[in-house]
């Protein structure tokens, strides 16, 4: 509540209007199956169950009445400080009020492996020592004075379409269960506060005094029993924190001032990994806009094949070999079982990702439509074979082993690239306009055939190696004849003069030597002409028929690609300066969305974005290697 003055000079209370939380200000939580976004005001504004790509139970991020879960001081919206406990995915928010201080810690709990007498019905990868507990835990500690504290838990299932009904359990005022008609999702709220109900909201109010400790646990699905005491809740929170610290301790991070960005990126990628299959979701959210109020809003809670190369490169470079193997196994499963490789899959390996709009949701900051599913899954994009074969090649080199099932996959994908590279496609950016002969698509077809030749040579298939190497040279010659303009710059598509940031992949995949003038000219042209305040655009929207209207911000992955490309061509000072600028534009918790608005530094697009963090790892390691 706030207050205004009426005509007679009396102050009267007014209801505070909901604020649009800057995308980059959200905290990100994960247990390897479910993710959540927590606002600075203490609201869980986004969480989907029973896995990260399912329907939301807290969806205030995309609509005011789609559910939220608040735990914070009464009438205070701005915390004093926020941080992750070092090396963890446990979020700590400190609140200073006129009367005292409290600290809230949030975590999606991870506990010991619990399937000793039964099979986990969703696990396809090698089990580890830990398992998701299916509990969102929030603890409170009053460190001084006294603070009036409120709990408001109002889930609305299925993207805000199914309100819940609460009922007490045998634990009377300390536990309640929420159900909704037509839904299998059942939520249990357990706390040492005293709960009451107002419609679909379970709430509590209490005055916390110095030394008081409280907990709130929201649980769902097959789970260990929720904690019934603060002591048990704290023990599980500590186990979760230690799990993340032990996981991060396996990594190999350089002793450098930018190390924290690498560590947070690694934790974020792990958090976006769906542990049962090893798939890495592109982001935790759907429909966060590329332009506020615009229609460039997509669902990114799926696994893109094109992420594979950068994911494996980043994970192997940081020493996370097991995670790299799990993601590679997910990709191999998809390729082995698919006659026609799709550009993307559901995190469980699903092929059908039919796109729908949710017209009842107003969208983030009024940005409609809100979409679930992604129509791009059925597009023809010729870069997919290159991404797959490059990941196979990287995996084979790093693991020094080629799995027995790889050869049939390899041959099938190389054949697909050879059959299609001359045809137009939708390109790496999944444009929904006219198909074109995109140069980057031809480039990735070259990668597919080139890596196929190298892999064939590694496993003793000399005849195929020679044949594919010759075909790769044919594709390269065609690109250099038709995809290069009069300045010697690689262009967006054959016959065009427009630039495209995807051509920064040319030096990254070794298409030509780093000192080739065409590589240097392409990198510098993009740096000088396809940037806004130094940040890289995918393309100029006025020059590209992408099927949409409106503007978009700079694509942060492309800016990090430019850092890596500048390193490769020897532009050391320029690479370091751009990388430092990009790191300074991180969110307050060192997280990134898909885009950054150059003039304001505002983050746009889905969040946190895996591809951005993958490109960050690549760029930062390039700069550090260059400095060394």
């Amino acid at each position: 509540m706030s207050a205004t003055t009426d005509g007679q000079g009396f102050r009267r209370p007014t209801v505070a209007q909901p604020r649009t939380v800057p995308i980059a200000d959200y905290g990100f939580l994960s247990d390897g199956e479910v993710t959540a976004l927590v606002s600075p005001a203490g609201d869980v504004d986004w969480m989907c169950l029973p896995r990260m790509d399912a329907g939301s139970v807290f969806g205030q991020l995309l609509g005011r009445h789609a559910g939220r879960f608040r735990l914070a001081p009464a009438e205070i919206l701005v915390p004093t400080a926020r941080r992750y406990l070092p090396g963890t995915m446990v979020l700590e928010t400190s609140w200073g009020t006129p009367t005292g201080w409290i600290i809230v810690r949030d975590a999606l709990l991870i506990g010991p492996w619990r399937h000793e007498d039964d099979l986990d019905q969703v696990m396809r990868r090698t089990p580890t020592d830990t398992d998701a507990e299916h509990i969102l835990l929030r603890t409170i500690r009053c460190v001084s004075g006294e603070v009036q504290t409120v709990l408001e838990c109002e889930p609305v299932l299925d993207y805000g379409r199914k309100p819940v009904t609460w009922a007490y359990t045998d634990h009377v005022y300390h536990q309640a269960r929420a159900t909704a008609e037509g839904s299998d999702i059942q939520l249990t709220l357990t706390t040492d506060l005293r709960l009451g109900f107002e419609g679909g909201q379970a709430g509590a109010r209490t005055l916390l005094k110095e030394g008081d400790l409280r907990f709130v646990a929201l649980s769902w699905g097959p789970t260990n029993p929720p904690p019934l005491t603060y002591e048990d809740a704290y023990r599980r929170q500590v186990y979760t924190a230690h799990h993340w610290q032990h996981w991060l301790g396996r990594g190999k991070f350089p002793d450098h001032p930018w190390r924290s960005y690498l560590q947070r990126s690694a934790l974020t990628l792990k958090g976006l990994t769906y542990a049962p299959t090893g798939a890495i979701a592109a982001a935790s959210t759907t429909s966060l806009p590329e332009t506020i109020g615009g229609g460039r809003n997509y669902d990114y809670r799926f696994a893109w094949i094109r992420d594979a190369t950068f994911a494996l490169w980043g994970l192997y470079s940081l020493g996370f070999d097991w995670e790299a193997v799990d993601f590679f196994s997910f990709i191999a499963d998809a390729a082995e079982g698919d006659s026609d490789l799709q550009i993307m899959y559901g995190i469980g390996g699903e092929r059908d990702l039919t796109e729908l709009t949710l017209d009842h949701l107003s969208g983030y900051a009024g940005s409609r439509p809100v979409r679930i599913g992604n129509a791009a899954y059925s597009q023809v994009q010729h870069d997919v074979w290159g991404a797959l074969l490059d990941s196979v090649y990287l995996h084979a080199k790093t693991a020094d082993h080629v799995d027995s099932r790889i050869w049939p996959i390899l041959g099938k994908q190389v054949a697909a690239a050879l059959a299609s590279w001359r045809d137009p496609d939708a390109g790496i950016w999944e444009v929904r306009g006219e198909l074109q002969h995109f140069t980057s698509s031809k480039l990735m077809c070259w990668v597919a055939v080139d890596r196929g030749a190298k892999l064939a040579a590694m496993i003793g298939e000399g005849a195929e190696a020679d044949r594919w190497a010759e075909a790769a040279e044919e594709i390269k010659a065609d690109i250099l004849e038709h995809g290069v303009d009069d300045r010697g710059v690689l262009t967006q598509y054959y016959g065009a003069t427009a630039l495209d940031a995807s051509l920064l992949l040319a030096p990254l995949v070794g298409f030509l030597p780093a000192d080739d003038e065409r590589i240097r000219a392409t990198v510098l042209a993009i740096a000088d002409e396809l940037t806004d305040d130094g940040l890289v655009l995918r393309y100029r929207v006025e020059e590209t028929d992408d099927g949409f209207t409106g503007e978009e911000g700079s694509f942060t992955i492309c800016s990090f690609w430019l850092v890596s490309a500048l390193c490769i061509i020897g532009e050391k000072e320029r690479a370091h300066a751009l990388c430092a600028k990009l790191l300074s534009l991180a969110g307050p918790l060192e997280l990134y969305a898909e885009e950054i608005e150059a003039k304001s530094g505002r983050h746009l697009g889905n969040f946190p974005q895996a591809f951005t963090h993958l490109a960050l790892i690549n760029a930062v390691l390039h700069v550090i290697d260059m400095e060394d």
Side-chain angles (χ1 to χ4, degrees):
M1 302 285 287
S2 60
T4 60
T5 303
D6 65 17
Q8 297 178 319
F10 293 102
R11 290 173 61 80
R12 56 184 176 80
T14 58
V15 178
Q17 294 301 307
R19 302 180 180 182
T20 297
V21 178
I23 291 169
D25 287 359
Y26 277 101
F28 171 62
L29 305 178
S30 175
D31 62 7
E33 295 185 19
V34 169
T35 62
L37 297 185
V38 186
S39 78
D43 292 345
V44 178
D45 280 348
W46 183 252
M47 190 169 85
C48 301
L49 295 179
R51 65 185 205 183
M52 61 184 76
D53 62 343
S56 65
V57 296
F58 302 120
Q60 183 170 254
L61 182 71
L62 298 178
R64 184 178 178 185
H65 302 294
R68 65 166 188 154
F69 182 5
R70 176 170 169 76
L71 182 64
E75 301 182 3
I76 299 289
L77 294 176
V78 180
T80 303
R82 300 171 82 218
R83 65 164 187 157
Y84 284 106
L85 297 187
T88 78
M89 293 279 279
V90 179
L91 181 65
E92 179 182 271
T93 306
S94 300
W95 301 86
T97 76
T99 58
W101 287 76
I102 63 171
I103 295 175
V104 175
R105 288 179 176 173
D106 295 322
L108 283 162
L109 292 184
I110 294 174
W113 179 258
R114 55 190 168 84
H115 292 278
E116 296 299 338
D117 301 317
D118 65 321
L119 291 176
D120 186 332
Q121 297 303 309
V122 296
M123 179 64 67
R124 292 187 221 161
R125 305 279 82 89
T126 303
T128 64
D129 296 330
T130 58
D131 201 3
E133 292 222 323
H134 302 157
I135 298 172
L136 172 61
L137 177 66
R138 317 191 74 178
T139 62
I140 323 166
R141 177 165 63 97
C142 185
V143 295
S144 68
E146 58 184 33
V147 178
Q148 190 72 46
T149 304
V150 296
L151 159 68
E152 298 169 351
C153 182
E154 187 175 11
V156 187
L157 309 188
D158 191 26
Y159 302 107
R161 291 181 288 197
K162 294 180 180 177
V164 302
T165 300
W166 289 97
Y168 291 113
T169 70
D170 294 341
H171 297 286
V172 291
Y173 290 104
H174 297 294
Q175 190 177 76
R177 189 157 290 129
T179 57
E181 185 177 351
S183 174
D184 295 331
I185 299 293
Q186 187 177 91
L187 302 172
T188 301
L189 188 66
T190 308
T191 178
D192 49 5
L193 303 173
R194 289 180 293 276
L195 294 170
F197 309 138
E198 294 182 15
Q201 176 179 291
R205 308 184 197 101
T206 189
L207 180 66
L208 296 178
K209 299 184 178 182
E210 183 173 337
D212 283 349
L213 304 168
R214 297 290 185 268
F215 81 96
V216 184
L218 184 72
S219 54
W220 60 89
T223 181
N224 290 327
L228 299 177
T229 65
Y230 177 86
E231 290 73 21
D232 188 26
Y234 179 73
R235 177 187 62 80
R236 297 200 204 184
Q237 189 179 76
V238 169
Y239 185 99
T240 300
H242 287 173
H243 158 77
W244 287 112
Q245 289 168 339
H246 292 159
W247 180 83
L248 195 66
R250 285 179 33 223
K252 301 172 184 176
F253 298 94
D255 184 16
H256 190 276
W258 292 346
R259 178 177 57 199
S260 68
Y261 295 95
L262 293 173
Q263 291 177 329
R264 183 51 52 190
S265 290
L267 286 163
T268 302
L269 291 173
K270 179 67 171 174
L272 289 169
T273 300
Y274 183 57
T277 65
I280 299 178
S284 174
T285 59
T286 178
S287 299
L288 292 185
E290 296 176 11
T291 306
I292 298 298
R296 297 172 181 266
N297 316 321
Y298 311 104
D299 194 345
Y300 275 17
R301 297 170 297 161
F302 308 114
W304 267 257
I305 296 295
R306 76 165 55 97
D307 291 4
T309 298
F310 278 92
L312 295 185
W313 193 96
L315 291 169
Y316 279 131
S317 297
L318 295 178
F320 295 109
D321 294 10
W322 292 347
E323 286 71 24
V325 169
D326 283 351
F327 185 44
F328 178 78
S329 297
F330 172 80
I331 297 296
D333 287 348
E336 187 177 37
D338 231 343
S339 56
D340 296 315
L341 189 68
Q342 295 185 178
I343 67 165
M344 57 197 286
Y345 293 86
I347 57 174
E350 296 83 5
R351 288 177 49 87
D352 186 353
L353 308 178
T354 300
E355 184 175 298
L356 304 171
T357 60
L358 302 180
D359 296 332
H360 67 285
L361 293 175
S362 59
Y364 177 86
S367 303
R368 282 176 161 161
V370 172
R371 293 181 172 96
I372 56 173
N374 196 312
Y377 83 95
S378 61
Q379 285 187 347
V380 177
Q381 295 179 22
H382 295 165
D383 67 300
V384 65
W385 304 298
L388 175 66
L389 269 296
D390 204 25
S391 66
V392 174
Y393 180 60
L394 177 61
H395 175 71
K397 285 201 307 178
T398 307
D400 194 25
H401 171 70
V402 179
D403 191 289
S404 59
R405 65 175 174 162
I406 294 303
W407 176 248
I409 296 174
L410 187 154
K412 182 169 63 176
Q413 304 309 326
V414 172
L418 288 173
S420 302
W421 74 267
R422 294 180 179 85
D423 300 330
D425 75 330
I428 188 174
W429 304 126
E430 300 167 4
V431 300
R432 301 188 182 187
E434 183 181 354
L435 301 183
Q436 299 286 355
H437 290 276
F438 287 103
T439 306
S440 65
S441 295
K442 313 290 187 186
L443 171 67
M444 293 308 291
C445 285
W446 171 84
V447 170
V449 183
D450 176 76
R451 301 316 191 252
K454 289 180 169 63
L455 284 162
M458 287 173 61
I459 59 179
E461 296 288 342
E464 293 286 40
D466 292 342
R467 185 167 67 86
W468 290 344
E470 183 178 345
E473 287 302 313
E474 181 185 359
I475 298 173
K476 177 183 287 189
D478 192 78
I479 293 170
L480 296 178
E481 180 180 355
H482 301 289
V484 180
D485 67 11
D486 294 340
R487 300 185 299 165
V489 173
L490 291 165
T491 60
Q492 184 179 56
Y493 56 87
Y494 283 9
T497 57
L499 296 172
D500 192 307
S502 63
L503 276 310
L504 290 169
L505 292 173
L508 273 60
V509 300
F511 178 64
L512 292 170
D515 59 358
D516 189 289
E517 281 304 313
R518 289 162 294 192
I519 290 294
R520 183 174 181 82
T522 299
V523 173
L524 294 180
I526 290 171
D528 295 336
E529 302 169 28
L530 195 59
T531 54
D532 186 359
D533 196 24
L535 304 183
V536 182
L537 306 172
R538 293 191 299 176
Y539 45 79
R540 298 285 180 186
V541 294
E542 65 272 15
E543 296 178 338
T544 302
D545 177 19
D546 61 8
F548 289 92
T549 59
E551 298 294 319
E552 65 179 24
S554 70
F555 260 58
T556 313
I557 179 179
C558 300
S559 296
F560 280 120
W561 282 352
L562 179 57
V563 171
S564 298
L566 288 169
C567 289
I568 290 171
I569 67 170
E571 292 286 333
K572 298 181 180 181
E573 292 183 4
R574 195 166 181 177
H576 187 283
L578 178 56
C579 195
K581 178 176 183 174
L582 289 167
L583 296 180
S584 75
L585 293 172
L589 295 170
E590 296 185 345
L591 298 173
Y592 288 84
E594 183 177 30
E595 301 182 12
I596 295 176
E597 190 176 65
K599 292 180 176 59
S600 66
R602 176 169 57 180
H603 287 227
L604 297 167
N606 285 306
F607 178 86
Q609 181 84 0
F611 220 171
T612 303
H613 285 276
L614 289 167
L616 180 154
I617 293 170
N618 189 302
V620 169
L621 291 179
H622 264 102
V623 172
I624 293 174
D625 288 345
M626 178 183 67
E627 291 175 347
D628 292 341

